[in-house]
Amino acid sequence: MSTLRSKSLAAFAVFAAAVPLAAVVAAAPAEAASSKFCTGGSYAVLGKVGQKDRFRGTVAAPATRFLVQGKYTQFTIDPVTFAIYDYAFTGAANTGDMTGGKLTPVYAGKVPDHRGLALTSGIGLELRDEDMTISRTGTSGLSMKIQAKDCAQGGIFQMEVARGDGTRTRIVHTLADTTFYYDNPNFRADLGKWLGSGCTSEQTGPSGDLCVRVSPRVNIGSDLSPKLILRDSAQVATRIPQASCGPDLTNALGLTETRDHCGATSVWDVASGGRLGMVTGEDATEVANPPTACTEDCQAQNQVGGKLATLGFPNPVPAASRLSPRTSPDGLTAPLTAP
C-alpha cells in the first residue's frame, strides 16, 4: 500500500542554481528538508561556523583534504577536484534520525574525473544555519559547486560541475562497506500503477504532477543502520551501464528497468551545468516525476504543494533484491557520453 504526504521535502535535490557555478549563491529553498529534521544543524568548515558566523566570502584553499563537520552529517573534500570522501550521518539525536544513534557511513567517495583540469582559485564559501554552499573554479573554465544541508534527512546534498568546453564529466559513486544498492521490491510490487492525489484511476492516471506511474526504483540501504534509506538523484546526467553487474530485471510495461547496476558503485556522465544529488528518508521512496532537464537559469519546477505517493522500503532488505557484485571495472573506461 502506498502512503500520501502533504508536501515534498525534495526541493533541494531538484534545485539547480540560476547563476554560474563560479558564484557563491544562497542555499536552496527551505522546503529542501523539514525544519524539524534540521534542528541545531550547522557546518564547521575551514575555520568558519554557520550558526555563529553566517559567513559569506572567499577563503584560501588548503593543500590537502579538509573536513566539513555538521551536527547530523560529515564528509571531507579534496580541494583540487572537489571530490567528496567519507560521507556519513553522525547519529545525532533528531526526530528524523535514520541511524539508531550510530555513526553511519554512506559514501566512501563521490569522485569526478576532470580529465587533466584542476581547481585553482580561492574557495567561495557560504554558511548560514544548516545550509552550506562551497565552490571553486579552475583551468579551462572548470567549476565545481557543492550544496549541502546539515539535516537528519531530506534532500540534503548535490554536486554541480561545469566545463569551458561544454563536455560531460564522469563521476563515480562508491558506497561505504556497510551500505548497498538494491532494487526496491515495494516499487516492483506496484509497477505500472498510477499513484498520487491527482489520480482518478490506478490503471489510467491521468499523468500529471500529482499522478505518477510507478517505475523500478534503486535505493541505498545500510546493514549497520537498517532504517537508513537514500537514493541517488541526477539532473542532466546519464548512468553508465556496468555489464557484469545485476540482476538484469525485466517488465512487460515498457518501463525503464534496473540493469547493469553494481551493488556498491554507480558511474555517471554529468552534463556541464548538470548535477548529482541524493535524497534521504521519505523523499527516497516518493513516486514523483524526474527533475526537469536543465543546466542554466533553472527553477525548482518539480516542487509540488499537493500529495505524492510514498511506497516505503522493506526492513530488512531481502538478499534477492540486492544488486551484485559490489564493484566492477565495467563502464569506467567507456566513451564519454556526448553533451
Side-chain angles (χ1 to χ4, degrees):
M1 294 292 291
S2 66
T3 61
L4 294 176
R5 62 196 185 95
S6 61
K7 189 174 185 179
S8 172
L9 303 182
F12 181 74
V14 301
F15 175 81
V19 297
L21 293 181
V24 178
V25 299
E31 291 86 356
S34 173
S35 59
K36 65 184 178 181
F37 298 151
C38 308
T39 302
S42 177
Y43 285 115
V45 54
L46 296 174
K48 307 298 181 182
V49 181
Q51 281 192 328
K52 179 180 179 181
D53 298 334
R54 294 192 172 186
F55 177 81
R56 183 176 186 177
T58 302
V59 296
T64 58
R65 294 183 193 178
F66 58 93
L67 177 66
V68 177
Q69 181 65 60
K71 178 178 180 179
Y72 301 108
T73 63
Q74 63 184 40
F75 52 94
T76 61
I77 299 177
D78 182 333
V80 177
T81 63
F82 262 36
I84 297 297
Y85 295 98
D86 302 320
Y87 188 101
F89 286 93
T90 66
N94 183 279
T95 185
D97 174 58
M98 301 179 292
T99 70
K102 299 185 291 289
L103 177 66
T104 302
V106 179
Y107 291 96
K110 296 169 172 273
V111 181
D113 178 7
H114 296 308
R115 307 195 306 279
L117 304 185
L119 300 170
T120 56
S121 71
I123 291 177
L125 178 64
E126 182 172 0
L127 296 168
R128 181 179 176 87
D129 299 325
E130 70 268 19
D131 296 317
M132 180 190 76
T133 301
I134 187 167
S135 61
R136 197 178 188 197
T137 61
T139 55
S140 300
L142 176 66
S143 62
M144 288 285 293
K145 180 170 69 177
I146 293 166
Q147 291 176 286
K149 294 181 75 71
D150 185 30
C151 305
Q153 61 171 273
I156 57 175
F157 182 92
Q158 70 179 29
M159 173 187 286
E160 300 179 28
V161 58
R163 292 175 58 97
D165 61 10
T167 59
R168 295 197 177 219
T169 297
R170 181 154 294 168
I171 298 178
V172 177
H173 283 180
T174 303
L175 300 184
D177 290 343
T178 54
T179 51
F180 54 89
Y181 286 110
Y182 67 97
D183 182 83
N184 190 328
N186 291 17
F187 279 72
R188 191 152 296 278
D190 283 339
L191 283 188
K193 291 182 181 179
W194 294 90
L195 299 179
S197 63
C199 298
T200 59
S201 167
E202 287 189 351
Q203 287 71 46
T204 61
S207 176
D209 288 343
L210 304 181
C211 183
V212 182
R213 198 178 193 196
V214 179
S215 60
R217 172 66 54 85
V218 172
N219 281 119
I220 298 171
S222 169
D223 287 320
L224 180 63
S225 299
K227 293 183 178 180
L228 185 74
I229 179 71
L230 306 91
R231 69 179 177 91
D232 292 331
S233 177
Q235 188 168 26
V236 203
T238 301
R239 188 180 66 82
I240 304 303
Q242 295 184 273
S244 62
C245 296
D248 291 344
L249 301 171
T250 61
N251 67 76
L253 302 172
L255 300 171
T256 301
E257 260 296 359
T258 301
R259 298 179 60 85
D260 302 324
H261 198 310
C262 293
T265 57
S266 59
V267 182
W268 301 85
D269 283 355
V270 183
S272 183
R275 61 91 182 156
L276 274 181
M278 71 172 183
V279 292
T280 67
E282 194 173 49
D283 291 344
T285 63
E286 180 182 77
V287 182
N289 289 310
T292 304
C294 179
T295 59
E296 186 176 1
D297 296 330
C298 302
Q299 303 297 323
Q301 297 174 354
N302 298 86
Q303 298 178 48
V304 293
K307 295 181 179 180
L308 294 170
T310 57
L311 297 183
F313 62 101
N315 181 10
V317 175
S321 297
R322 301 188 184 204
L323 304 179
S324 65
R326 285 183 60 83
T327 62
S328 168
D330 293 350
L332 296 178
T333 59
L336 198 67
T337 305

